[in-house]
């Protein structure tokens, strides 16, 4: 495994896992030069110019679908580029969004990183000033569903709130039910999400509430 200390974020940045020590060392050198510039002296192979990073085991598992940008990964199941950023305060990786374009994802990363760490943060596009983040697929979905709650959509034909939840096993949206109340629909989503993913699931509408029973669905 190769990792590199990021002085801006003040945490170690994961680079990847490799089949050999030499590949991991080259990957470190490549990332160090990308982060600190060609004058960086803290390298493993000082007499060698690493023009491309070695292929990591993660790259192999993604069947060639990888990203040249740190903080961006390919989600094979959903066919999207994911942008993630390490949050030193919460000490966990924060999801930024999913994107159809590989270049939109690092721009979203840059926007979030500057918001979190300040303008001195080393960006993926250092020469660009990103005043607004790219629109994520989640933003598009929320515009379509006409509700601020996860998994809740307005059904004009039935004049009710439709609830659905992504099922990672079937890889399809799972229908939960129709509800008269938007808030009731949101609670139904939370109940179904906890049943499916367990109590540790965080993508909920009311994360601080325990919903012991689902709201009654519309029967007509």
């Amino acid at each position: 495994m190769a990792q590199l200390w990021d002085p801006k974020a003040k945490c170690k940045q994961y680079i990847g896992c490799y089949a050999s020590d030499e590949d991991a060392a080259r990957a470190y050198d490549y990332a160090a030069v990308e982060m600190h510039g060609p004058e960086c002296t803290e390298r493993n192979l000082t007499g060698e110019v690493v023009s491309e990073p070695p292929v990591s085991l993660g790259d192999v598992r993604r069947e060639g679908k990888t990203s040249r940008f740190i903080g961006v990964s390919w989600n094979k199941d959903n066919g999207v580029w994911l942008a993630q950023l390490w949050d030193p305060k919460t000490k966990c990786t924060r999801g930024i969004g999913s994107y159809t374009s590989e270049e939109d994802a690092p721009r979203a990363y840059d926007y979030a990183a500057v918001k979190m760490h300040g303008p001195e943060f080393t960006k993926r596009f250092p020469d660009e000033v990103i005043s607004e983040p790219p629109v994520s697929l989640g933003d598009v979905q929320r515009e379509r569903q006409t509700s601020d709650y996860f998994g809740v959509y307005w059904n004009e034909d039935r004049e009710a709130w439709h609830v659905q939840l992504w099922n990672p096993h079937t890889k399809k949206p799972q229908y939960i039910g129709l509800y008269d109340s938007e808030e009731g629909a949101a609670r139904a989503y939370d109940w179904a999400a906890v049943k499916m993913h367990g109590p540790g699931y965080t993508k909920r509408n009311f994360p601080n509430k325990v919903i012991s029973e689902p709201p009654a669905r519309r029967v007509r």
Side-chain angles (χ1 to χ4, degrees), residues 48-179:
E48 183 178 327
V49 177
V50 184
S51 58
E52 291 186 4
V55 176
S56 73
L57 298 178
D59 297 340
V60 174
R61 285 195 293 271
R62 286 191 290 271
E63 299 177 353
K65 276 285 190 178
T66 183
S67 175
R68 63 189 184 277
F69 300 105
I70 297 173
V72 177
S73 59
W74 175 251
N75 185 306
K76 181 180 176 182
D77 292 337
N78 296 328
V80 295
W81 295 100
L82 300 179
Q84 297 177 312
L85 174 66
W86 177 261
D87 189 334
K89 292 182 180 179
T90 61
K91 295 182 179 179
C92 65
T93 302
R94 194 179 103 194
I96 299 168
S98 55
Y99 304 85
T100 55
S101 162
E102 185 183 2
E103 290 199 352
D104 278 350
R107 284 189 171 93
Y109 176 98
D110 282 358
Y111 181 85
V114 169
K115 293 283 285 185
M116 181 182 291
H117 301 293
E120 70 280 0
F121 187 82
T122 304
K123 300 187 295 180
R124 306 302 170 244
F125 293 98
D127 298 327
E128 290 188 22
V129 177
I130 302 172
S131 57
E132 291 186 7
V135 177
S136 72
L137 296 178
D139 295 335
V140 174
Q141 184 183 31
R142 281 190 288 274
E143 287 175 5
R144 289 175 180 169
Q145 68 187 41
T146 65
S147 173
D148 291 330
Y149 294 115
F150 292 121
V152 178
Y153 305 77
W154 176 249
N155 187 318
E156 289 188 10
D157 294 334
R158 300 293 298 276
E159 294 186 344
W161 294 99
H162 171 109
V163 179
Q164 64 184 36
L165 172 67
W166 180 261
N167 188 324
H169 303 294
T170 64
K171 297 178 182 177
K172 295 179 181 178
Q174 182 169 309
Y175 173 73
I176 308 299
L178 291 173
Y179 300 84

